[in-house]
Amino acid sequence: MTRTGAALIAAATIFSFAGAPAHARDFPYCLQGGEWGYPGNCQFDSYQQCMVTASGTKAYCDVNPVFAFGAQRQQSQPEPRRYRR
C-alpha cells in the first residue's frame, strides 16, 4: 500500500468517527475550587471518584448544579392547562 492510500484510509476513518454525535451526559458530581472555578470539572459518577481526584489539592467536590437542577426542572413541570369550549 502506498503512503497516499494509507493516508486516505486514515482520513476516511477519522471523518467517519467525527460524524458520530457524542452523547451528552450530566454527571452528578463536580470538582470545584482552586483552578476549577464554578461549576468546575463535572465528570464524576460518584462522590468517591471526585474526592480521590481532589485529594492533595485545594479543590473540593459538590453536586453538579446542571444535574441537580435539571432533574428538578423535569419533575416539576406543570401539566398544560386544558380549556373547555
Side-chain angles (χ1 to χ4, degrees):
M1 182 178 287
T2 66
R3 284 186 176 179
T4 306
L8 287 174
I9 291 173
T13 303
I14 291 170
F15 286 120
S16 68
F17 287 121
H23 296 317
R25 180 171 171 220
D26 293 325
F27 291 92
Y29 296 98
C30 296
L31 184 63
Q32 299 175 344
E35 67 184 63
W36 296 106
Y38 184 83
N41 178 2
C42 301
Q43 61 179 6
F44 300 97
D45 278 316
S46 71
Y47 185 76
Q48 290 77 17
Q49 282 180 335
C50 185
M51 288 300 293
V52 168
T53 306
S55 177
T57 68
K58 294 180 181 180
Y60 60 94
C61 297
D62 204 355
V63 175
N64 180 349
V66 174
F67 181 83
F69 295 117
Q72 180 183 27
R73 184 174 46 245
Q74 290 173 356
Q75 292 173 359
S76 66
Q77 288 180 347
E79 292 200 21
R81 293 185 179 200
R82 303 187 194 284
Y83 295 99
R84 293 184 187 187
R85 289 185 179 201

